[in-house]
Amino acid sequence: MYERTNPADDTDTDTDTDTDTGVYADADTGQAGRAGRAGPDASGSATGPDTDTGPDFAGCVLALAAGATGFFTWLHGAGPGVSGAFEGERDLSLLYLELPLLLFGFPVVALAAWGATRAVLRRTGGTGKRAVRNAVPVLAATVTLALLTWAALLWLDSRVAPFVHPHW
């Protein structure tokens, strides 16, 4: 996709250039080509400001890990309420309310903590070492997941208490 970085590129002063599409006609040969494309150069290396896919991959792995953590937290905490531990009584709201909340909420909150930490480190210049700049957001997301797991287990324990201890 053609990116304009200069607002002056919006005006079309050359009759051979179409600024909306980035297509140009070579004045000498008359052949059409593309302008402003970032891609591999003659040496085969990619050009452009950011070719590091590490943070994108780490975000995907974090989202999957957080979703799995949410699911297994729900499975452990809501088990007695869904399986009917006391006289076969079941609370299906654990299935259609808490399960989606934990399954989708854990990744959202963990990615928010990870992204906010990365943004703060980027804005403040970080601590200098790349390993530290990459490890601190992961640590923040891990601590966030641990706190979410603890809070979710407390919540689910209070929700299934009537099924486990019916005389309370």
Side-chain angles (χ1 to χ4, degrees), residues 132-162:
V132 173
R133 284 193 319 251
N134 291 337
V136 170
V138 171
L139 181 65
T142 304
V143 169
T144 302
L145 277 177
L147 290 173
L148 280 173
T149 301
W150 173 73
L153 286 174
L154 283 177
W155 171 255
L156 289 171
D157 188 44
S158 69
R159 291 275 286 131
V160 300

Side-chain angles (χ1 to χ4, degrees), residues 102-140:
L102 269 59
L103 192 61
F104 299 118
F106 271 42
V108 167
V109 175
L111 285 172
W114 180 68
T117 306
R118 283 187 64 211
V120 167
L121 287 176
R122 202 172 336 148
R123 185 179 316 129
T124 60
T127 58
K129 294 193 176 211
R130 185 174 187 170
V132 173
R133 284 193 319 251
N134 291 337
V136 170
V138 171
L139 181 65

